[in-house]
């Protein structure tokens, strides 16, 4: 191939010789080889075109008069093919006999001509001159291609969302000329903008995620207090969970249909929705109500904050998010505070330790629920997703509630039982919609910190609705939980992150 570094001569070019005369072809090949080039001989135009499509050549020596496919047809085919049109062609002719043919061949795009009775010096001059022009043209074409690359990169940025890798200007930036310097500056500015927008995105995710954590956790935290109130009012746990699921389903689906119309469910969506319905809408809700009858709401709230540590471990094991020392420290600190309270509190009355240990099933189910939300069907809005899931939960619970004779009928007077049921259903629905948005915004690990705000809310609701108090040990544990929450940040934008620049016309 062409040696682009030699300014005087061009060595080791690959030369295709096309001549139906074996004597003339051998003479050309010998002369070409003696100049230090590599040659290949073919005896016809059709064979020459086939070889050109298989092997790259730097130059061609072409006879005009050949049977079947002559030199004119070869030239026409080459100049019509973008992959072949820039290969220089030197026409080989008997100058006195074929002068008109040479003129026609040059008009068709041949670079030069060579008499069949050539001198080696003439051959060398013709080949070097043609290759020098080709080298200049190749550089010129490469320059314009690189300009087009930079132009496309600018259009990508101006057009909206982009990632630096999509600009594809690494090769242009490798040039040692002003265009390469411009590409380097362009790439540096693009990467700087991208990094700045990623940092801004993290800040927005943190702010939005924190607000969602506080909102969803505060609403979720009322469930243990409601469960304890229901137990005091002799409301059957299965009936309470069933009717609250119905309320949540009707509430979410009604809002979703009004806003977006009927949800378009696919058959594959029901596997996720059914599993989520069993874990959260049925088991978690039922356990919360049952355990609330035996464990103070404030204690359940404290135990629930261990959900963050569980989610971190599961997410790291499933490679959903990248673990970090900062996150591990924050989650571990919060979990340590909960463990201390459990050890001290669990050593109390008979049977209390059993219920405290049973209460640990709640954060475990919540951690599975938090991870499941990462795989929710994105073509269904959050409200419809929660509505369908809670409807499936109600269907799942219905036979059990009927078998236990726990399926009470709501009273038209809307007494305390109905208030508890309605409040539990609506609060569950709203909290789950917020939680889905939170996972999509900040990732499952950060979303698991909702357990900490849920802890604070659970303690507050327990004090407000049930008159419970918080021991000094629980207060110390709560402080550890808050410090742990501060150490955990949302997941950073991944490789799929794109930034969008809003261009404003300067007037």
């Amino acid at each position: 191939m062409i040696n682009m570094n030699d300014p005087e001569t061009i060595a080791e070019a690959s030369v295709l010789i096309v001549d139906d005369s074996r004597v003339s072809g051998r003479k050309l090949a010998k002369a070409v080889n003696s100049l230090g080039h590599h040659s290949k001989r073919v005896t016809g135009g059709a064979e020459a075109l086939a070889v050109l499509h298989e092997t790259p050549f730097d130059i061609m020596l072409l006879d005009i008069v050949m049977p079947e496919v002559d030199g004119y047809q070869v030239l026409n085919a080459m100049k019509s093919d973008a992959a072949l049109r820039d290969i220089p062609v030197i026409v080989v002719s008997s100058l006195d006999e074929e002068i008109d043919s040479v003129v026609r061949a040059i008009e068709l795009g041949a670079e030069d001509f060579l008499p069949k009775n050539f001198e080696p010096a003439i051959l060398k001059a013709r080949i070097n001159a043609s290759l020098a022009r080709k080298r200049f043209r190749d550089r010129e074409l490469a320059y314009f291609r690189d300009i087009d690359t930079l132009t496309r990169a600018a259009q990508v940025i101006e057009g909206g969302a982009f990632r630096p890798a999509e600009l594809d200007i690494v090769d242009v930036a490798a040039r040692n000329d002003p265009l390469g310097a411009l590409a380097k500056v362009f790439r540096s500015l693009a990467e700087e903008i991208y990094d700045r927008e990623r940092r801004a995105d993290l800040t927005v995710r943190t702010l939005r995620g924190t607000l969602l954590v506080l909102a969803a956790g505060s609403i979720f935290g009322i469930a243990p207090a409601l469960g304890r109130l229901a137990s005091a009012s002799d409301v059957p746990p299965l009936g309470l969970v069933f009717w609250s699921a119905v309320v949540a389903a009707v509430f979410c689906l009604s809002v979703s249909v009004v806003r977006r119309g009927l949800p378009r469910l696919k058959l594959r969506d029901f596997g996720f929705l059914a599993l989520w319905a069993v874990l959260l809408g049925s088991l978690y809700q039922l356990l919360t109500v049952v355990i609330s009858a035996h464990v103070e709401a404030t204690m359940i709230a404290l135990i629930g904050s261990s959900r963050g540590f569980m989610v971190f471990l599961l997410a790291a094991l499933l490679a959903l998010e990248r673990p970090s020392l900062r996150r591990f420290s924050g989650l571990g600190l919060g979990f340590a505070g909960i463990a201390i309270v459990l050890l001290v509190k669990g050593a109390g009355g008979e049977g209390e330790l059993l219920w405290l240990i049973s209460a640990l099933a709640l954060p475990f189910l919540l951690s599975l629920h938090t991870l499941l939300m990462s795989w929710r069907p994105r073509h269904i809005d959050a409200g419809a997703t929660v509505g369908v899931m809670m409807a499936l939960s109600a269907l799942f619970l219905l036979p059990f509630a009927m078998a236990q004779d726990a399926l009470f009928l709501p009273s038209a007077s809307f007494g305390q039982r109905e208030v508890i049921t309605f409040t539990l259903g609506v609060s569950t629905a709203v909290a789950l919609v917020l939680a889905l948005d939170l996972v999509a915004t900040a990732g499952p690990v950060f979303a698991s910190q909702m357990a900490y705000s849920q802890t604070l809310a659970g303690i507050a609701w327990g004090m407000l609705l049930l008159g419970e108090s918080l021991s000094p040990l629980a207060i110390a544990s709560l402080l550890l939980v808050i410090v742990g929450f501060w150490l955990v940040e949302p997941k950073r934008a991944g490789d799929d992150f794109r930034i969008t620049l809003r261009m404003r016309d300067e007037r």
Side-chain angles (χ1 to χ4, degrees), residues 81-100:
D81 191 328
L84 305 178
R85 65 168 61 118
D86 292 320
I87 299 175
V89 178
I90 298 177
V91 174
V92 181
S93 68
S94 299
L95 186 60
D96 294 336
E97 300 173 5
E98 302 177 11
I99 186 65
D100 292 338

Side-chain angles (χ1 to χ4, degrees), residues 67-306:
E68 297 180 359
V69 179
D70 61 21
Y72 302 129
Q73 292 170 296
V74 173
L75 280 168
N76 271 322
M78 290 178 64
K79 298 309 173 182
S80 301
D81 191 328
L84 305 178
R85 65 168 61 118
D86 292 320
I87 299 175
V89 178
I90 298 177
V91 174
V92 181
S93 68
S94 299
L95 186 60
D96 294 336
E97 300 173 5
E98 302 177 11
I99 186 65
D100 292 338
S101 299
V102 170
V103 171
R104 181 183 173 190
I106 290 177
E107 289 175 344
L108 288 173
E111 289 281 338
D112 210 335
F113 70 92
L114 182 75
K116 289 200 173 183
N117 296 320
F118 59 86
E119 293 292 333
I122 296 295
L123 175 65
K124 179 179 180 180
R126 294 284 195 270
I127 288 178
N128 284 350
S130 295
L131 291 176
R133 286 194 292 271
K134 182 177 186 296
R135 178 173 63 179
F136 179 80
R137 185 162 56 248
D138 288 345
R139 287 177 174 173
E140 186 178 44
L141 290 174
Y143 189 85
F144 286 121
R145 281 196 300 270
D146 288 344
I147 289 178
D148 288 341
T149 300
L150 275 179
T151 303
R152 286 194 300 272
Q155 290 171 344
V156 167
I157 293 177
E158 186 177 7
F162 77 94
R163 297 192 300 267
E166 292 176 338
L167 303 182
D168 196 23
I169 57 175
V170 175
D171 292 339
V172 184
R175 296 176 62 104
N176 294 318
D177 60 7
L179 186 62
L182 177 61
K184 289 185 182 71
V185 172
F186 191 86
R187 184 179 64 177
S188 177
L189 288 174
E191 290 174 348
E192 182 180 342
I193 292 172
Y194 183 78
D195 290 340
R196 185 179 68 237
E197 292 299 318
R198 281 181 69 130
R199 291 192 298 270
D201 176 79
L202 179 60
T203 302
V204 172
R205 285 169 182 258
T206 303
L207 179 59
R208 179 177 173 82
T210 300
L211 292 175
L212 288 172
V213 160
L214 295 174
S218 298
I219 300 172
F220 262 132
I222 198 174
L226 291 175
R228 201 161 180 83
L229 283 174
S231 175
S233 302
D234 294 326
V235 180
L238 267 172
L240 173 63
V241 175
F242 168 78
W243 283 114
S244 65
V246 171
V247 170
V250 171
F251 177 79
C252 283
L253 289 175
S254 299
V255 174
S256 178
V257 169
V258 170
R259 293 181 60 197
R260 302 177 182 271
L262 291 173
R264 297 181 179 180
L265 296 172
K266 300 178 182 178
L267 186 60
R268 65 173 182 268
D269 301 334
F270 283 95
F272 163 82
L273 292 169
L275 179 59
W276 197 27
V278 171
L279 287 178
L280 181 81
S282 302
L283 292 180
Y284 172 78
Q285 293 288 86
L286 187 58
L287 273 175
T288 300
V289 172
V290 171
I291 293 173
S292 296
H294 303 272
V295 180
E296 292 180 353
T298 52
M299 278 303 302
I300 294 177
L302 281 172
I303 292 171
S305 62
S306 61

Side-chain angles (χ1 to χ4, degrees), residues 3 7 10 13 35 39 75 83 90 97 148 227 245 282 289 322 343 346 377 405 414 443 447:
N3 181 358
I10 303 173
L35 295 175
S39 66
L75 280 168
I90 298 177
E97 300 173 5
D148 288 341
S282 302
V289 172
R322 185 176 299 175
L343 289 174
D405 196 24
F414 210 72

